[in-house]
Amino acid sequence: MAAETKMVKDAVLNHSDNDDEEENFSDDGDWGDWEEAADKDDDGCFESDFVCLFCDSRFVSCDLLFDHCRLSHGFDFHGVRKELKLDFYASFKLINYIRSQVAENKSWSGEALQKCQLKAKDVNFPWDEEKYLKPFWQEDSLLYSFADDEEEEEGEEEGLDREDLIEDLRKLGDLSIVDDEAIGESSVSNNGKCKDVSLVSDCRDLGQSSADGLVVNGKGKEPGVCDGRLVGRNIRKVNENYFGSYSSFGIHREMISDKVRTESYRDALLKNPSLMSGSVVMDVGCGTGILSLFAAQAGASRVIAVEASEKMAKVATKIAKDNKVFNDNEHNGVLEVANSMVEELEKTIKIQPQSVDVLVSEWMGYCLLYESMLSSVLYARDRWLKPGGAILPDTATMFVAGFGKGATSLPFWEDVYGFDMSSIGKEVLEDTARFPVVDVVEARHLVTQAALLQTFDLATMKPDEVDFTATATLEPTESETEARLCHGVVLWFDTGFTDRFCKENPTVLSTSPYTPPTHWSQTVLTFQEPILVAPASVLSGDDRRGAVGTKECPASSIHLRVSVARASEHRSIDVSLEATGVSLKGQKRRWPVQIFNL
């Protein structure tokens, strides 16, 4: 489902407007005068911003505070960090843990921590819980200053942008963070997001990229992608905005008018009577209830339409009543509407675990996984679907191909009523290398063959498999008679209603450039530098020398490594893209990793 079709394009157009905001500091990055002013109160005196961990004493520096803790409370913060080998994040949690314990018990002291001073590998510390990543005090200066002394020592080795990290911690509170040793300069993407490119579902188990010596944004660091998880009010706020966005009837008209989408679901539900007749059906994210109506029409004995938007739940209820399928004394139908997130369904209706025969949902977003609704569908599958029950669709497949100049804005700007405005086109193209663009790409503008990127078996996959890293090789289109520039890659997906469950009439919903366009369009990721490609038939017999991917030595293939992960911002995703050009004789050239946030 796609709520904001033009949002990525708008981000590209507005990007240049924000550039000037970053120029209010000196060329050497010296903020000394700002920092000094920030450390003083209105009378010119230094404030005592640092409050003791165990009492109300205040200090003008972290060093004085920690000296006080050691001498007055018997707690050596730096000693504990060193002995327990606590990294930045574990130390951040420790401070919040102590604050919480002291708030509950004023007599609680550093001596209570002595029992924890064991070998780190043999103990799970009480502050290991993710909740301690949220500041116990919203304005706790200690949290953002305790590691300043070690920044100079570790800065060159780790390449961590601590200022950006601290700002993220201030804003988000509940942030899924990667261990200091596993995150470096590779974590800072082109668009300034703190991300990483090697997929994991738990940042504590972060693995390294398999590409040795990989260059990330021009810097030699091993990358990886963090599955960010926000909690508490941040998730609630994003969910409210997300479900609220589907209160617009225009969005539902766009989706229902998408014949490829709607008719694929209609055929799967209405043309498979052995699956639907007498079944209990759950529709996750029902919207107007169109899929639930199809299910009722197909002969289901009970249809549970789950909708988190209060407005749309009322709309779906009214529509069900108007079509005489609502389940109440007046209409005596089979369809009931639950205004709830599926994770909280039991609070709204009576339903037994594993009591659903067919689980249906139109959960797909841009690039398949945007909006992160698949996690909710998998939750519903594991909680409510009977063993061996059907999930529709039951497969999802992602594809990738390289696109040429025709899929960019360059041709438009090269001839504007006879005038050459290509300089604008080049600037727009540079901006699109920072942002994913959702747009329709015509098959004639692809310069490589399509390659399979990732497949999902929705009946058996685990929730953490939503995040993935995959490789693919792009081969130039064999019919090409000359070398062509590949400006980037386009991603799309197919979902399958296979004969595993739809035995009478299996069908496929495709968002491919080779099929009629859908409201999902395709997702376009633009290279920072185009790669010249040519099929082997064009290159054979040539003794090419020079940089791979250029006129002197066109690439005969492009090897891709793509990672997709749920981002730190709830319901968003991060996509990392690594491209390696390979010549006909096996020479390789790697480009810096690009990270896109959608």
Side-chain angles (χ1 to χ4, degrees), residues 448-588:
T448 76
Q449 302 174 52
L452 186 149
L453 184 65
Q454 180 75 350
T455 60
F456 298 97
D457 184 338
L458 303 175
T460 61
M461 70 177 289
K462 298 177 182 178
D464 61 5
E465 292 173 351
V466 171
D467 301 331
F468 71 89
T469 296
T471 59
T473 299
L474 301 182
E475 304 284 352
T477 306
E478 285 298 330
S479 59
E480 293 293 341
T481 58
E482 60 182 6
R484 296 182 65 185
L485 284 174
C486 178
H487 284 270
V489 298
V490 54
L491 302 174
W492 69 89
F493 64 87
D494 291 354
T495 54
F497 303 81
T498 73
D499 58 8
R500 171 168 45 180
F501 301 124
C502 298
K503 299 188 184 301
E504 290 97 341
N505 188 63
T507 188
V508 175
L509 189 169
S510 178
T511 65
S512 166
Y514 301 101
T515 58
T518 69
H519 78 284
W520 285 285
S521 303
Q522 288 87 36
T523 302
V524 177
L525 308 179
T526 303
F527 292 149
Q528 290 176 322
E529 177 186 345
I531 303 173
L532 194 69
V533 296
S537 58
V538 174
L539 299 174
S540 60
D542 291 353
D543 185 16
R544 302 275 183 164
R545 298 180 181 275
V548 176
T550 64
K551 184 177 181 180
E552 289 72 27
C553 186
S556 62
S557 64
I558 301 174
H559 293 183
L560 299 176
R561 185 172 186 270
V562 178
S563 296
V564 179
R566 289 159 289 183
S568 59
E569 182 179 350
H570 188 48
R571 296 196 179 277
S572 296
I573 60 173
D574 288 330
V575 181
S576 75
L577 175 64
E578 307 172 29
T580 302
V582 182
S583 72
L584 192 61
K585 293 189 176 182
Q587 299 165 289
K588 295 182 179 181

Side-chain angles (χ1 to χ4, degrees), residues 261-262 265-266 269 276 281 283-286 288-297 303 335 360-362 392:
R261 165 198 181 267
T262 306
Y265 277 90
R266 181 199 64 184
L269 293 168
M276 297 301 298
V281 179
D283 176 7
V284 178
C286 73
T288 59
I290 182 67
L291 304 188
S292 295
L293 294 171
F294 287 148
Q297 186 179 5
V303 180
L335 197 159
V360 64
S361 179
E362 196 275 82
L392 303 179

Side-chain angles (χ1 to χ4, degrees), residues 197-500:
V197 277
S198 154
L199 250 349
V200 287
S201 60
D202 188 330
C203 292
R204 289 173 296 182
D205 297 326
L206 182 67
Q208 294 296 322
S209 166
S210 60
D212 295 331
L214 194 61
V215 175
V216 183
N217 296 332
K219 300 182 182 297
K221 275 286 186 180
E222 289 285 346
V225 174
C226 169
D227 159 19
R229 298 185 179 91
L230 295 179
V231 296
R233 68 166 181 261
N234 294 309
I235 283 184
R236 286 195 297 273
K237 182 177 180 180
V238 174
N239 281 341
E240 288 171 3
N241 293 336
Y242 169 68
F243 295 123
S245 71
Y246 280 94
S247 296
S248 166
F249 294 139
I251 292 170
H252 293 280
R253 176 172 179 170
E254 179 185 23
M255 293 188 292
I256 292 173
S257 299
D258 183 344
K259 288 189 175 182
V260 174
R261 165 198 181 267
T262 306
E263 293 181 5
S264 294
Y265 277 90
R266 181 199 64 184
D267 291 350
L269 293 168
L270 294 184
K271 296 183 179 181
N272 289 285
S274 65
L275 172 66
M276 297 301 298
S277 181
S279 293
V280 175
V281 179
M282 179 180 289
D283 176 7
V284 178
C286 73
T288 59
I290 182 67
L291 304 188
S292 295
L293 294 171
F294 287 148
Q297 186 179 5
S301 61
R302 182 187 184 190
V303 180
I304 305 162
V306 185
E307 176 54 50
S309 165
E310 182 178 359
K311 176 180 177 179
M312 291 312 301
K314 291 179 180 178
V315 169
T317 299
K318 181 67 166 62
I319 291 173
K321 290 179 178 180
D322 290 345
N323 288 275
K324 299 179 173 55
V325 295
F326 192 70
N327 182 18
D328 62 6
N329 293 332
E330 180 181 350
H331 303 88
N332 197 30
V334 298
L335 197 159
E336 55 194 280
V337 179
N339 178 204
S340 170
M341 293 178 61
V342 74
E343 292 86 353
E344 301 174 355
L345 185 58
E346 288 170 301
K347 299 178 181 179
T348 305
I349 64 170
K350 292 182 179 179
I351 180 172
Q352 294 297 318
Q354 298 185 336
S355 60
V356 170
D357 298 299
V358 179
L359 178 66
V360 64
S361 179
E362 196 275 82
W363 54 266
M364 299 84 74
Y366 299 131
C367 197
L368 183 64
L369 298 173
Y370 172 66
E371 296 180 346
S372 299
M373 189 176 166
L374 178 55
S375 298
S376 295
V377 175
L378 297 181
Y379 176 91
R381 179 201 67 185
D382 295 340
R383 180 65 176 164
W384 311 116
L385 192 62
K386 290 180 180 179
I391 182 170
L392 303 179
D394 61 306
T395 65
T397 309
M398 295 181 70
F399 298 90
V400 61
F403 66 86
K405 180 179 177 180
T408 72
S409 63
L410 289 175
F412 173 83
W413 292 108
E414 286 176 347
D415 184 3
V416 181
Y417 290 94
F419 297 102
D420 181 1
M421 297 187 181
S422 57
S423 60
I424 295 179
K426 292 175 182 177
E427 184 171 338
V428 171
L429 199 61
E430 289 175 1
D431 277 344
T432 58
R434 306 180 183 208
F435 303 98
V437 175
V438 175
D439 203 355
V440 173
V441 176
E442 298 180 38
R444 63 192 177 96
H445 293 145
L446 300 180
V447 296
T448 76
Q449 302 174 52
L452 186 149
L453 184 65
Q454 180 75 350
T455 60
F456 298 97
D457 184 338
L458 303 175
T460 61
M461 70 177 289
K462 298 177 182 178
D464 61 5
E465 292 173 351
V466 171
D467 301 331
F468 71 89
T469 296
T471 59
T473 299
L474 301 182
E475 304 284 352
T477 306
E478 285 298 330
S479 59
E480 293 293 341
T481 58
E482 60 182 6
R484 296 182 65 185
L485 284 174
C486 178
H487 284 270
V489 298
V490 54
L491 302 174
W492 69 89
F493 64 87
D494 291 354
T495 54
F497 303 81
T498 73
D499 58 8
R500 171 168 45 180

